[in-house]
Amino acid sequence: MLYTRLCDLLGVESPILNAPMSEEAGPELAIAISEAGGLGMLGHGVTALSDVREHFAMMKAATTKPFGTGLLFPLPDASAEAAAARQPKPIPPLPDFLHHLVGPEGPAEKVSNRREALEAADRRLDIAIENRVRVLTCGLGAPPRAIARAKAGGMIVIALVGSVRAALAAAACGVDAIIAQGHEAGGHTGRASTLALVPKIVDSVDIPVIAAGGVVDGRTMAAMLLLGADGVLVGTRFLATPEARTAESHKRAIVDMVDDSTLISRCFTGKPARVIRNAFTDAWRGHEAEILPMPAQMDWMRPLVEPAKKQGRLDAANWPTGQGAMNVRRIMPAGDALREILDEARAALTRGGAIAARNSVE
């Protein structure tokens, strides 16, 4: 097994976590990853409170292995305009340039503000603490108060960051580990590439660093370990599994990806996110100034996007997907995918050791 200090921290056999990908990372995926020796993570960023409780009950009934929950704590925007836009208001009319794609099921009464999003995250955290969930990952920000509450509740806290500055701030607040996520990653992501970001953060903090972004197989995992990471967070590879709660059309699309199949867009959530390029993202070109801050944009677009998502429509819905998809070769069970990553990583590290040994002799 590939055993690092992250394994000791989390109480797992292998230093692999599945990304807590919103609704796609449900109990089925988390159970499969935990049972295979990694850390199964539930995506609870926008999950209803009753479903959060149900997910924890399902996990406890299916596995005795550690697992965790991923929550979103959106940080405030700096501009006065963004602050004003965060106030609840009637939902805007459907933009004309979207009419040809999807019709609304029925508009929301208002768009949410950031305070409401943080209050919902706090309630989900309360449920996790009550259920003695082992690990919390914080996305979009790591508020000191949330870190303190989780640690007081006995949780291991991991902050997901996309910059060195954010890593240093999270470490100063007492998180137990850092996820250094590069620009290649699916979903909300930063600007620096994984290859550049990981070693810099490894050199900047003295706690375990988990690499994310573009890690889909053993070669990319081995590369991250050689850069100093203590483990990897894998998202897109685990979407192409039977256990992931995403559409079959999405899973097939991942296997068929090429190098320009994804792009960064704010049109779905209000924050930059890597998603599959489609007619919806294309329609927003030239209309970027009309995008609301998160979470208001999410509420505005939800009546349009969710019906398309339920139908598996790749042309109109939000399909977060990393650039590493181009190296995903087939759909396979999540446990098998994890074991394949480990086997390939060991083989890659062995090859690297053999090359180093040969060069030292020569």
Side-chain angles (χ1 to χ4, degrees):
M1 304 297 288
L2 293 176
Y3 200 90
T4 71
R5 60 175 175 165
L6 183 67
C7 299
D8 287 328
L9 175 66
L10 303 179
V12 297
E13 299 168 9
S14 304
I16 298 179
L17 298 74
N18 71 274
M21 303 167 286
S22 189
E23 296 296 295
E24 288 82 1
E28 300 84 359
L29 179 58
I31 290 166
I33 296 303
S34 289
E35 283 293 291
L39 185 76
M41 293 295 300
L42 295 158
H44 284 160
V46 296
T47 307
L49 299 185
S50 59
D51 290 338
V52 171
R53 293 188 177 92
E54 180 183 351
H55 290 178
F56 291 151
M58 292 173 65
M59 294 297 298
K60 291 178 178 180
T63 183
T64 59
K65 303 289 185 67
F67 64 90
T69 180
L71 301 180
L72 300 178
F73 297 93
L75 293 176
D77 294 322
S79 68
E81 294 81 6
R86 288 198 300 275
Q87 299 304 313
K89 60 179 66 175
I91 195 164
L94 174 68
D96 291 339
F97 59 86
L98 294 180
H99 274 293
H100 71 288
L101 284 174
V102 186
E105 280 190 337
E109 294 181 0
K110 67 177 181 65
V111 294
S112 301
N113 63 19
R114 200 175 304 273
R115 175 178 295 178
E116 292 169 336
L118 288 172
E119 289 174 352
D122 286 341
R123 291 195 293 272
R124 295 181 184 107
L125 178 55
D126 288 337
I127 297 171
I129 293 172
E130 292 168 8
N131 282 271
R132 300 183 181 277
V133 176
R134 186 174 184 87
V135 178
L136 167 69
T137 62
C138 302
L140 300 181
R145 58 176 182 76
I147 296 170
R149 285 182 57 223
K151 291 179 72 70
M155 301 185 78
I156 294 165
V157 181
I158 304 174
L160 188 152
V161 305
S163 70
V164 177
R165 181 173 59 184
L168 291 172
C173 289
V175 300
D176 299 288
I178 295 287
I179 298 170
Q181 179 173 282
H183 188 67
E184 300 92 324
H188 297 115
T189 194
R191 298 176 181 174
S193 75
T194 307
L195 190 65
L197 185 67
V198 169
K200 184 62 178 178
I201 290 182
V202 167
D203 291 345
S204 301
V205 300
D206 59 3
I207 55 179
V209 174
I210 302 161
V215 182
V216 296
D217 58 15
R219 294 172 300 174
T220 44
M221 179 179 182
M224 295 303 107
L225 295 176
L226 290 173
L227 289 175
D230 296 281
V232 293
L233 182 82
V234 179
T236 300
R237 164 64 273 193
F238 290 139
L239 283 175
T241 64
E243 294 90 347
R245 290 184 172 184
T246 194
E248 292 302 315
S249 56
H250 185 201
K251 298 175 186 182
R252 293 192 299 270
I254 288 172
V255 176
D256 294 335
M257 288 279 167
V258 294
D259 54 1
D260 63 349
S261 295
T262 67
L263 81 170
I264 299 291
S265 177
R266 295 172 48 241
C267 69
F268 290 110
T269 70
K271 279 187 174 290
R274 183 172 295 282
V275 298
I276 291 179
R277 183 192 303 270
N278 60 17
F280 192 92
T281 61
D282 288 346
W284 278 93
R285 290 179 182 172
H287 297 276
E288 289 80 6
E290 300 172 42
I291 295 175
L292 301 177
M294 184 182 190
Q297 182 73 9
M298 293 175 66
D299 286 342
W300 188 21
M301 292 298 102
R302 184 173 289 120
L304 312 179
V305 173
E306 284 193 350
K309 190 116 182 182
K310 291 175 182 177
Q311 298 164 19
R313 288 182 54 184
L314 293 179
D315 65 324
N318 179 13
W319 303 104
T321 305
Q323 286 183 314
M326 71 178 79
N327 292 313
V328 176
R329 299 177 291 276
R330 62 190 184 280
I331 298 170
M332 62 191 301
D336 292 344
L338 185 146
R339 286 183 284 270
E340 181 178 81
I341 292 172
L342 289 173
D343 289 343
E344 291 176 350
R346 282 191 290 266
L349 292 170
T350 299
R351 286 195 302 272
I355 292 170
R358 185 169 65 246
N359 289 340
S360 66
V361 171
E362 294 174 353

